[in-house]
Amino acid sequence: MSPLAGHVEFKKLHDSLDVSSAESIERYAVHLEGMTFKEVLELGIEPEDYNPKNYGDKHYKGGMGNLLEERYFGYPANSDDEPDFPKAGVELKATPIDIKKNGDPSAGERLVLTMIPYDKPIAGDFFDSHLWKKCKLILLVFYNRDRNIGAYDQQITHVKMFTPPEEDLRIIADDYKTIVSYIQSGRADELSESLTTYLGAATKGATADKSWVSQYYPFIDENGNVVHRQAKKRSFSFKRQYMDYVLHHYVLEESTEVEKILAPGALAHETFEQHITSLINSFVGMSDRELAAHFNMPYTGNKAQWNQLVFRILGIKGNQAEEFVKAGITVKTVRVEENGNIKENVSLPPFKFKELAQETWETSRLREYFEETRFFFVAFKKCGGNYQLAGCVFWNMPISDIEGDLKRCWAETQSTIRDGVEILPETWGTGIRYMNNLPGESQNSISHVRPHASQAAYRFLDGTEIGDPDKNANELPDGRWMTTQSFWLNRGYIQSILCDFL
């Protein structure tokens, strides 16, 4: 039981709350730390004309945030464009913390700020928008999410008043401008969370598939026809990676060794992407050997060093940049041959067969990965025996590709796993290798499946083992073990992304 519950002192504390003052709201809110949502309910606070609600119902919009507004602050929840506490300009957000296997806390999800309006005009400038009102001053209430207990038994751990720092606001404002440009050109159906840096246009899995609406702004097609296309409902949200950074560095106040790319004032006259691109382009034409010498690094000539060289160009001594971490940007260096072809496919995170077999497309890890992940491709092209820095590009997979060939590759992979993967021995030199019928590179324009382990490994139902299955394989639904696999982006697809500067 919370030390506040049932105490007369708490009523005095509540009576002293001034909902027109951000300082008073925060002062009162910090007493939530250590309480469960059940204990909040037991305080007995209710707004006038209160109608009981099941805040823990997954179909109830507002959830724990509305519970806190009504049953802790005694203030009626609202769903309009104004902040939750309009007189104080404070928006309240309850958001989960997940505990990873190693015991480290992690932001459980993106922070949904407000719905993107498709039925009316939208402000072109971030600081004139209702979104700015919603994120100017946020009361963050973090709770530990334990999926083994009920919603009301989750414990609140941290309370923090938060405003994005100035350096982040410049990037957020540019993100807003990018999203609005799609909306105002009638192309909201092409939005994805990976299109931007910190602020995303997010949608949620299965529910989004049933929430298509007509766009307010028309799309003008190539023939000059005016069309109002359908688009999925989306919300302005701070990305999960950004919220993870907020949790660790602004809430938990952990010290960081992650270096910044941006110096003060760096974005005064250009966007984040323009700034990063200009830094890389200033070294275009130099070979990897010359770059290593320039940055006083021993030359190895391998791809691992190319990633290091990219970060050195960006002014980073390690292999992580604060801005990339906060944005969830994945750096990929690509080797291009003299004829312009790319030899290697690009690997994605490995998957587990049994988990993929149980997924739906809308909630699949593959779809989520490309819906959220932004890539920074840097190409090194062979010239006269050396690989020279050729250029770079920020990229996210278009929604048409995600819902097209990528979805088809995932569906065929799932179907093959469910039906039982065919594993066939084949003579290979003086030995034997095992082939399978998972989607290959020639079957899809975007993606295919191939091993993601250093060594082949199998465990068959008769007990026969090949390699080290515990280390390099995972279990199929039928009980066999097979070399760990992952989806890969086809080299031809990557080549099409880089063609503008190759």
Side-chain angles (χ1 to χ4, degrees):
M1 180 70 69
S2 163
L4 291 179
H7 284 214
V8 175
E9 290 79 4
F10 181 77
K11 186 178 186 309
K12 295 179 181 178
L13 188 69
H14 180 260
D15 289 344
S16 68
L17 170 65
D18 179 3
V19 294
S20 67
S21 164
E23 292 76 13
S24 177
I25 291 170
E26 183 176 26
R27 208 165 37 241
Y28 176 67
V30 294
H31 293 281
L32 284 165
E33 294 181 351
M35 297 177 70
T36 65
F37 290 105
K38 181 180 179 181
E39 290 170 339
V40 172
L41 294 175
E42 289 172 350
L43 295 173
I45 298 169
E46 296 176 358
E48 292 183 13
D49 302 322
Y50 173 72
N51 293 316
K53 302 178 180 70
N54 182 5
Y55 299 101
D57 187 335
K58 65 180 181 179
H59 300 295
Y60 175 72
K61 184 180 178 182
M64 298 300 107
N66 281 7
L67 181 153
L68 294 175
E69 279 185 82
E70 297 187 336
R71 302 300 303 275
Y72 185 74
F73 289 95
Y75 199 80
N78 71 76
S79 58
D80 56 28
D81 289 349
E82 294 298 316
D84 293 319
F85 300 96
K87 293 181 180 179
V90 172
E91 178 76 2
L92 186 152
K93 293 293 181 185
T95 188
I97 296 174
D98 288 337
I99 304 300
K100 297 189 287 188
K101 290 182 180 180
N102 64 1
D104 290 341
S106 174
E109 55 193 38
R110 62 179 67 85
L111 188 73
V112 174
L113 299 167
T114 186
M115 293 301 296
I116 297 175
Y118 288 159
D119 59 346
K120 58 185 178 182
I122 187 170
D125 185 84
F126 170 67
F127 295 104
D128 292 332
S129 70
H130 79 278
L131 170 61
W132 173 232
K133 295 179 183 178
K134 290 277 193 177
C135 67
K136 184 187 298 185
L137 195 56
I138 306 174
L139 180 67
L140 293 172
V141 179
F142 285 93
Y143 62 93
N144 278 345
R145 179 163 59 185
D146 184 343
R147 300 180 190 275
N148 297 316
I149 61 177
Y152 294 141
D153 294 320
Q154 314 285 333
Q155 186 176 50
I156 296 165
T157 58
H158 297 86
V159 174
K160 180 78 171 181
M161 197 71 79
F162 173 74
T163 296
E166 179 64 29
E167 61 198 48
D168 292 358
L169 282 175
R170 287 187 177 275
I171 294 175
I172 290 167
D174 283 334
D175 288 339
Y176 178 84
K177 185 177 181 180
T178 297
I179 294 169
V180 167
S181 71
Y182 275 71
I183 295 169
Q184 292 183 336
S185 60
R187 298 164 56 215
D189 51 304
E190 298 177 29
L191 288 170
S192 76
E193 202 169 353
S194 59
L195 185 68
T196 46
T197 307
Y198 297 162
L199 178 73
T203 186
K204 286 193 175 181
T207 58
D209 197 40
K210 302 175 183 178
S211 63
W212 290 81
V213 295
S214 293
Q215 299 181 51
Y216 172 84
Y217 291 97
F219 171 76
I220 311 299
D221 68 18
E222 58 187 11
N223 297 316
N225 297 316
V226 176
V227 183
H228 285 270
R229 303 198 312 204
Q230 294 269 306
K232 283 183 179 181
K233 291 181 180 178
R234 289 181 178 268
S235 61
F236 286 115
S237 307
F238 286 149
K239 294 187 179 185
R240 193 204 65 79
Q241 296 90 339
Y242 182 75
M243 288 308 300
D244 197 52
Y245 197 91
V246 169
L247 170 65
H248 285 279
H249 298 275
Y250 299 129
V251 179
L252 301 179
E253 297 182 350
E254 296 176 359
S255 60
T256 176
E257 296 179 0
V258 181
E259 303 164 86
K260 293 184 178 182
I261 300 172
L262 300 175
L267 301 185
H269 304 292
E270 59 185 351
T271 67
F272 172 71
E273 291 190 10
Q274 289 169 341
H275 182 74
I276 301 300
T277 301
S278 67
L279 290 175
I280 297 295
N281 287 346
S282 65
F283 287 86
V284 164
M286 291 182 67
S287 70
D288 54 356
R289 189 181 296 275
E290 291 171 330
L291 286 168
H294 178 82
F295 292 107
N296 297 314
M297 297 169 60
Y299 175 73
T300 63
N302 58 36
K303 283 190 67 177
Q305 183 169 65
W306 292 352
N307 266 49
Q308 293 176 327
L309 291 173
V310 169
F311 282 107
R312 294 297 188 279
I313 292 171
L314 298 177
I316 304 298
K317 296 178 181 178
N319 61 357
Q320 283 191 316
E322 178 182 300
E323 295 84 357
F324 283 9
V325 171
K326 286 157 72 172
I329 293 171
T330 297
V331 178
K332 294 284 187 182
T333 53
V334 181
R335 182 171 62 187
V336 184
E337 301 308 309
E338 289 185 279
N339 60 5
N341 291 332
I342 295 171
K343 278 191 173 183
E344 300 160 332
N345 302 292
V346 173
S347 66
L348 303 175
F351 59 76
K352 292 190 179 298
F353 299 116
K354 293 170 73 173
E355 290 180 0
L356 194 146
Q358 297 301 315
E359 290 178 334
T360 64
W361 169 243
E362 289 289 345
T363 58
S364 67
R365 288 190 175 187
L366 184 66
R367 186 183 186 279
E368 180 183 71
Y369 182 76
F370 281 104
E371 171 75 22
E372 296 181 0
T373 305
R374 192 159 184 74
F375 293 85
F376 183 52
F377 284 112
V378 182
F380 286 80
K381 186 174 182 180
K382 194 171 186 179
C383 183
N386 294 313
Y387 283 96
Q388 296 179 345
L389 180 60
C392 64
V393 63
F394 282 93
W395 177 83
N396 66 290
M397 185 177 287
I399 284 292
S400 57
D401 286 355
I402 293 176
E403 299 298 337
D405 270 4
L406 185 73
K407 179 180 179 180
R408 183 167 65 84
C409 182
W410 173 88
E412 290 174 359
T413 301
Q414 185 186 67
S415 177
T416 301
I417 293 171
R418 286 177 171 178
D419 293 343
V421 179
E422 295 178 8
I423 304 175
L424 303 173
E426 177 183 271
T427 301
W428 181 254
T430 58
I432 293 176
R433 67 175 179 176
Y434 289 87
M435 306 298 290
N436 63 65
N437 62 332
L438 291 167
E441 187 175 353
S442 62
Q443 297 171 245
N444 192 285
S445 68
I446 292 176
S447 182
H448 65 281
V449 177
R450 64 189 302 173
H452 195 108
S454 57
Q455 299 291 330
Y458 298 89
R459 179 180 291 141
F460 298 106
L461 296 180
D462 63 2
T464 301
E465 290 191 359
I466 308 294
D468 185 349
D470 290 324
K471 179 181 178 182
N472 295 315
N474 70 87
E475 190 177 8
L476 290 160
D478 60 12
R480 295 175 299 166
W481 287 61
M482 177 180 172
T483 310
T484 298
Q485 308 279 317
S486 72
F487 292 100
W488 294 63
L489 294 181
N490 296 350
R491 69 194 95 185
Y493 184 64
I494 300 300
Q495 193 168 314
S496 69
I497 296 168
L498 306 181
C499 66
D500 283 348
F501 62 82
L502 293 180

